[in-house]
Amino acid sequence: MKKYNKFDPFTDLLFNILLAFTFLFFITILFINPITKFGNVNMKAEYIITVDWNDSLPDDIDLWVKDPNGEIVSYLKKDAGWLHLDRDDQGIINDKVTIDGKETVYPINREVVTLRGIIPGNYVVNLYMYDNKSMKPVNAKITIEKVNPTLKLVFFDNVVLKDKDTELTVVKFRLDSTGNFSHIYTDNEILTPYGLEGI
């Protein structure tokens, strides 16, 4: 006589419920931790403002930029509205990098502010001599480049910074609603909370 196993619907139901919960758990994990796309960084920029001074100098020159809304970007606030301080150079202080146990020197002195969007109105670009360790006048070159849709130099100037804690307005400019640049330099305008006017 054949012996048949009894069919237990309750056990089958519990097994299916456990299977469904396991499936939902894995789906939830996927939504909590989405797959990271490496290298997917949006580097859109409208204008790039750069200040360069002599390589290997210990002097620290800071770039300060104010937008039409009164937002000011500097080493004190690296993101302000559409303005971003991409590089804060401190002279020779941050020129050394250790790679695989070997010290490498990057002697270029440069600060860079990127304007990632267009706010129509007036902008102010200042240089501030934070530290003058060389105790000599420092020649600084400032450029403003329009990068969207194509690279175009719209402003260039050389200025000499002589003393620590002094601030100079290099340029004031206007952007219209389509991002067109026009030079409107007027008088010196202090942006730092501690700068001394004039150079």
Side-chain angles (χ1 to χ4, degrees):
M1 192 168 186
K2 290 184 179 179
K3 190 173 182 182
Y4 295 99
N5 290 330
K6 281 188 172 183
F7 174 72
D8 187 359
F10 183 73
T11 304
D12 191 41
L13 179 65
L14 283 178
F15 178 74
N16 286 334
I17 289 173
L18 180 63
L19 191 62
F21 274 116
T22 304
F23 177 74
L24 290 174
F25 174 76
F26 283 116
I27 294 293
T28 304
I29 293 297
L30 287 175
F31 282 110
I32 290 174
N33 296 316
I35 298 170
T36 305
K37 295 180 181 178
F38 293 104
N40 188 20
V41 178
N42 184 4
M43 293 300 289
K44 182 181 184 298
E46 298 294 334
Y47 284 88
I48 295 177
I49 304 168
T50 308
V51 59
D52 293 278
W53 61 103
N54 294 349
D55 296 351
S56 302
L57 277 182
D59 307 304
D60 184 357
I61 296 173
D62 291 320
L63 183 58
W64 289 64
V65 183
K66 183 172 84 168
D67 74 9
N69 292 334
E71 294 279 352
I72 299 173
V73 70
S74 70
Y75 72 92
L76 294 176
K77 186 179 180 184
K78 295 186 178 182
D79 294 308
W82 288 112
L83 299 170
H84 300 270
L85 180 63
D86 293 332
R87 176 164 170 75
D88 175 24
D89 199 305
Q90 300 172 21
I92 59 172
I93 292 175
N94 57 350
D95 284 353
K96 294 179 183 177
V97 178
T98 303
I99 303 171
D100 295 329
K102 184 179 177 184
E103 193 175 82
T104 304
V105 177
Y106 182 74
I108 295 175
N109 288 323
R110 174 178 294 152
E111 292 216 355
V112 179
V113 168
T114 303
L115 177 55
R116 301 272 167 89
I118 300 298
I119 301 173
N122 298 339
Y123 292 77
V124 181
V125 179
N126 282 14
L127 294 182
Y128 173 71
M129 177 70 89
Y130 183 83
D131 201 355
N132 185 221
K133 291 180 181 172
S134 69
M135 304 297 288
K136 297 176 182 176
V138 178
N139 182 47
K141 299 174 185 176
I142 188 154
T143 60
I144 302 176
E145 297 169 295
K146 182 171 173 54
V147 294
N148 186 24
T150 57
L151 184 64
K152 179 183 176 184
L153 179 67
V154 295
F155 179 82
F156 175 81
D157 198 5
N158 278 308
V159 296
V160 177
L161 305 169
K162 296 177 183 175
D163 301 310
K164 180 180 175 179
D165 291 326
T166 53
E167 183 174 357
L168 174 69
T169 298
V170 179
V171 64
K172 292 183 181 181
F173 65 90
R174 173 184 289 277
L175 296 182
D176 65 18
S177 59
T178 59
N180 292 317
F181 178 98
S182 58
H183 180 227
I184 57 159
Y185 177 81
T186 54
D187 56 346
N188 209 36
E189 180 179 338
I190 299 297
L191 299 182
T192 69
Y194 37 72
L196 301 175
E197 192 168 354
I199 294 297

